[in-house]
Amino acid sequence: MAVVDRSSRTGAELPALRCDTHTHVFGPQQLYSMNPMRHYTPHQASVQALRQHLQAIGMQRVVLVQPSVYGSDTQCLQDALAELGDSARGVAVAPREVSEAQLHVWHAAGVRAIRVNLQSSGNEDVASACNELSYWSERVCHLGWSIQLYMAYPVLQAVSTHLSRLPGSFVLDHFAMVPFPATASQDDGLLLRLAESGRIFVKLSAPYRLAEAQWACAWARHLVSHAPQGVLWGSDWPHTARDAGVPALEPSQFRTVPTQTIQQDIGRWLMDEDEQQQVLVKNPARLFGWVSD
């Protein structure tokens, strides 16, 4: 099939059952308490607003990721999953002492992954990272869940061999935090080797979280053209940020990311129907427990 630039395609022309694999919902603070040690405070982002976002970009399925501001309190996540129904899956943050019974409750609610977030806390201790990976792999692998990792790229480099030996599936958030502006041709091949495994996924999301966002397309094309079976896509809606000079416990505005920009990214990163079908439909369906057709 000839590769065609689809950057101007509308959402309706994308393959059916496509999925945004990285979003967040923030409920009213009077109903959902935030972690007093949080690093930022978002405004409300409701399920209704999420639905509008998904409709605007042409997505029919969604994955809700537990944001750091809620710590391990998953009530907002569970309520949103209940409202969205089978079109949604969740990624939870859990304390180590979480019971097996609670994991099964979350599974029934639509949770299909655990998030290990070392980046938000600035934890770059390699031994700690390896310990977390081993622990959660043992805890959730039997449920068919994946483990979603948000960590600095040097930490990923250090734990990659250990990660490759563990059972289960893993997702590397936000381009695996690869250090831009290095180009794909300057990479040591790590991300591609991981993605080629078919069980370690690089998520194309939030290029604005990296040093030089203009390199995102080159990295996306490098990964998708060589290992589409190991790539996911996510919008990172509602694009959280902490305003300069604003204290962590005071609300910050979300980033402004136009719908057109998101659609253009999809078209430039996933350039033909086969790539879009693999990354937007098949990979999320397999990883999060949907039927793909």
Side-chain angles (χ1 to χ4, degrees):
M1 178 181 295
V3 174
V4 179
D5 185 353
R6 306 291 186 183
S7 60
S8 62
R9 288 171 58 137
T10 65
E13 295 173 302
L14 293 170
L17 303 179
R18 50 207 175 267
C19 182
D20 183 342
T21 67
H22 201 105
T23 67
H24 309 289
V25 167
F26 300 101
Q29 286 202 46
Q30 62 267 32
L31 295 180
Y32 304 104
S33 299
M34 294 185 181
N35 185 343
M37 302 302 291
R38 62 189 180 275
H39 298 284
Y40 71 99
T41 300
H43 287 278
Q44 186 172 340
S46 66
V47 169
Q48 180 181 357
L50 173 59
R51 284 194 174 113
Q52 292 171 348
H53 156 74
L54 295 172
Q55 183 176 13
I57 64 171
M59 296 290 147
Q60 298 170 322
R61 288 172 170 167
V62 66
V63 177
L64 304 180
V65 178
Q66 173 88 354
S68 62
V69 298
Y70 288 129
S72 59
D73 184 343
T74 62
Q75 193 59 56
C76 184
L77 174 67
Q78 292 182 81
D79 289 351
L81 289 172
E83 190 170 346
L84 288 163
D86 191 57
S87 66
R89 295 289 187 265
V91 179
V93 173
R96 276 181 163 242
E97 62 271 17
V98 65
S99 68
E100 182 71 14
Q102 182 62 61
L103 293 178
H104 283 275
V105 168
W106 285 345
H107 188 90
V111 172
R112 293 297 183 272
I114 284 290
R115 192 183 201 198
V116 175
N117 184 347
L118 303 180
Q119 180 71 13
S120 294
S121 62
N123 184 354
E124 297 191 3
D125 182 76
V126 173
S128 173
C130 287
N131 185 268
E132 287 293 293
L133 293 175
S134 297
Y135 178 80
W136 287 112
S137 177
E138 182 177 349
R139 289 296 312 271
V140 305
C141 187
H142 69 288
L143 294 170
W145 291 13
S146 59
I147 300 172
Q148 187 159 300
L149 307 177
Y150 188 26
M151 61 176 62
Y153 189 73
V155 179
L156 174 62
Q157 289 178 304
V159 305
S160 60
T161 300
H162 179 70
L163 177 65
S164 298
R165 292 171 178 167
L166 292 173
S169 299
F170 300 85
V171 177
L172 308 176
D173 274 355
H174 306 324
F175 286 84
M177 300 302 289
V178 66
F180 292 10
T183 65
S185 62
Q186 295 171 315
D187 179 33
D188 60 5
L190 173 61
L191 289 192
L192 189 55
R193 289 195 301 274
L194 295 177
E196 286 174 336
S197 71
R199 64 180 190 85
I200 301 175
F201 296 81
V202 181
K203 187 184 294 177
L204 308 181
S205 60
Y208 43 74
R209 297 189 182 277
L210 306 169
E212 298 290 343
Q214 67 264 30
W215 291 101
C217 186
W219 269 103
R221 292 303 310 146
H222 174 64
L223 293 167
V224 173
S225 62
H226 290 90
Q229 75 277 14
V231 178
L232 299 170
W233 177 85
S235 68
D236 196 39
W237 185 91
H239 319 294
T240 59
R242 179 174 170 182
D243 293 335
V246 173
L249 301 187
E250 293 184 13
S252 288
Q253 298 296 321
F254 296 125
R255 291 179 174 88
T256 300
V257 181
T259 297
Q260 183 179 10
T261 298
I262 296 174
Q263 292 173 325
Q264 288 174 341
D265 283 346
I266 294 173
R268 291 166 180 159
W269 299 352
L270 311 174
M271 293 183 66
D272 64 37
E273 285 92 344
D274 288 343
E275 291 178 352
Q276 292 166 0
Q277 183 74 20
Q278 186 71 49
V279 174
L280 297 177
V281 182
K282 291 183 178 179
N283 293 346
R286 177 165 64 90
L287 195 63
F288 295 103
W290 281 298
V291 176
S292 60
D293 52 28

